[in-house]
Amino acid sequence: MPEVLILDAVRTAIGKRNGTLARSHANDVLGAVQKAIVDRTGIDPLVVDQVVGGCVQQVGAQSANVARNAWLAMRLPQEVPAATVNSQCGSSQEANMVAHALVGSGLAGVAISCGVEMMSSVPFGAMAVEGKYGMPREGTYAEVYEPTTQFEGAERIASKWAITREQADALGCESQRRAAQAWAEDRFAGQIAPLEVTSYGEDGKPTGTVTFERDECLRPTTMEGLAKLKTNAPDGIHTAGTSSQICDGAGALLLATPERAAALGLKARGRIVDSVLVGCDPELMLEGPIPATDKLLARTGLSMDDIDVFEINEAFASVVLAWQQETGADMTKVNPNGGAIAVGHPLGGSGVILLTRALNELERSGGRYALISMCCGGGLGTGTIIERI
């Protein structure tokens, strides 16, 4: 495939459940990063051939093609088309893969990939299947596969790879420590688009506006504190301290061919080396980063030692720990600025947020390659390798 460049990447700060972004509309939050990437690069938005967005709970405020609605809400040109895809938690990373393919194939010269999830206002499970979030429990699907939830999948992975509660707690504690260090050292500088958000008093009435530009899910964490938490399942290992946080947020990337980048007078920050979407056991469900990593390395000829930064979504601690067992990854390179346990996992927004974080970390650390992967409900895994330019 011809070279596909990353011209810019931006994200919102991530708002905690019922936090600063809780009353913001998905169109406004996603639209803010779409507009930010246009404003930061100075492009005429009409040069964008297509916008591809990811969102999981496509209902209520996130329904009816939220990627398009967000674009129009920002008064951006109606001539630019947009579509919204759903690969569950990997939705915006899949949106980036679609944008990668559009640009690489020549169907588009410039594309924006993006994603959003406002989990405070469109709750996790808003699109529950037959009364329970997870796979369909009636009909032919249930005759072929045992219906499971992400929570059940996480515990089955812990059992299969013999991951203990103490190991999970240690990863959760380290995620919080690294995220706190990243903010203390201002490592996220330049990647966050500030949002002007309405503030509310205790009576629920608007009190003015605040500028939102700092991740707010972080919390002081110790191994002793984690050990006291109740597990999600009676016989499980995961707790609220070792599971990704419910939150709100969005991100966006601007992709282009080298020819279009040159014509626009823009210097690329990186390039996409390869993108994959893989299928895996839908009952175990969350092992997708393992085959996604294997496929990416096999197709590119790169090795684990060639990768300088790994962003493996911390949907649950067992997902990352099982992946590490299978790949032998150096954990000092994995989620170096904390992961979703500390920062949050706004479902359909997380893929492009992780890509943004990875690109910025390569630039900060001087690394060359980053590998980004996510597990997804239904037995899928997304994966991308990017290279800093």
Side-chain angles (χ1 to χ4, degrees):
M1 181 181 287
E3 193 171 40
V4 176
L5 302 178
I6 304 172
L7 302 186
D8 203 6
V10 66
R11 69 177 180 94
T12 67
I14 298 177
K16 66 182 180 180
R17 183 180 188 178
N18 298 324
T20 304
L21 292 182
R23 299 195 188 194
S24 298
H25 198 285
N27 292 341
D28 297 330
V29 175
L30 180 57
V33 290
Q34 291 173 344
K35 189 173 188 303
I37 212 158
V38 168
D39 291 344
R40 283 161 55 113
T41 55
I43 62 170
D44 179 344
L46 282 169
V47 306
V48 178
D49 294 303
Q50 187 163 332
V51 177
V52 188
C55 183
V56 177
Q57 306 289 336
Q58 294 185 33
V59 64
Q62 297 179 166
S63 63
N65 194 359
V66 66
R68 171 68 171 170
N69 295 338
W71 182 264
L72 295 177
M74 295 297 108
R75 297 177 172 83
L76 291 162
Q78 61 183 339
E79 295 87 350
V80 177
T84 307
V85 301
N86 188 344
S87 294
Q88 296 215 22
C89 293
S91 293
S92 62
Q93 195 173 3
E94 172 67 3
N96 191 70
M97 182 177 177
V98 173
H100 176 201
L102 287 169
V103 175
S105 67
L107 289 176
V110 179
I112 291 175
S113 62
C114 58
V116 66
E117 206 79 35
M118 303 299 291
M119 300 178 74
S120 296
S121 55
V122 185
F124 182 68
M127 295 182 70
V129 179
E130 294 148 8
K132 184 174 181 181
Y133 191 78
M135 296 300 102
R137 281 162 163 69
E138 297 178 3
T140 305
Y141 182 95
E143 296 173 5
V144 181
Y145 294 105
E146 177 191 357
T148 55
T149 67
Q150 284 88 334
F151 298 96
E152 292 164 341
E155 297 301 342
R156 292 184 185 199
I157 285 174
S159 178
K160 179 176 177 178
W161 275 274
I163 295 164
T164 66
R165 166 76 182 268
E166 185 177 11
Q167 289 173 317
D169 283 354
L171 186 141
C173 192
E174 181 65 4
S175 181
Q176 291 282 358
R177 186 196 70 78
R178 292 184 182 188
Q181 180 182 2
W183 271 107
E185 297 178 0
D186 200 23
R187 294 188 182 184
F188 300 126
Q191 66 178 260
I192 293 177
L195 301 182
E196 294 300 315
V197 181
T198 301
S199 57
Y200 295 86
E202 293 183 1
D203 59 2
K205 295 181 179 178
T207 58
T209 60
V210 296
T211 301
F212 182 62
E213 53 187 346
R214 186 179 179 89
D215 297 325
E216 62 182 7
C217 292
L218 283 68
R219 50 199 178 201
T221 303
T222 63
M223 287 292 287
E224 294 75 17
L226 289 175
K228 297 176 183 178
L229 297 178
K230 180 182 178 181
T231 56
N232 299 338
D235 57 349
I237 70 162
H238 293 94
T239 67
T242 53
S243 310
S244 56
Q245 294 190 49
I246 292 172
C247 58
D248 309 309
L253 271 69
L254 181 65
L255 308 182
T257 63
E259 295 76 16
R260 293 296 290 136
L264 293 169
L266 294 175
K267 185 180 184 298
R269 296 176 60 189
R271 73 180 184 96
I272 299 180
V273 179
D274 201 3
S275 301
V276 299
L277 178 69
V278 301
C280 57
D281 182 351
E283 297 176 7
L284 200 59
M285 193 176 293
L286 304 180
E287 62 179 342
I290 297 169
T293 298
D294 290 343
K295 189 169 185 178
L296 282 169
L297 296 179
R299 290 191 352 175
T300 61
L302 296 171
S303 70
M304 292 292 288
D305 290 339
D306 292 320
I307 307 300
D308 301 294
V309 175
F310 295 94
E311 287 284 352
I312 309 300
N313 193 43
E314 292 173 355
F316 298 91
S318 64
V319 173
V320 179
L321 293 170
W323 170 87
Q324 192 279 331
Q325 284 189 35
E326 292 295 321
T327 63
D330 177 354
M331 287 298 285
T332 64
K333 298 180 179 181
V334 181
N335 303 340
N337 297 313
I341 289 172
V343 182
H345 172 26
L347 302 182
S350 288
V352 288
I353 289 170
L354 292 179
L355 285 159
T356 297
R357 286 163 52 102
L359 178 61
N360 280 268
E361 179 60 17
L362 286 178
E363 293 174 337
R364 188 195 72 83
S365 64
R368 182 177 180 183
Y369 292 111
L371 188 153
I372 302 92
S373 188
M374 304 179 69
C375 61
C376 316
L380 295 170
T382 53
T384 311
I385 292 178
I386 62 174
E387 180 181 12
R388 177 179 65 89
I389 294 178

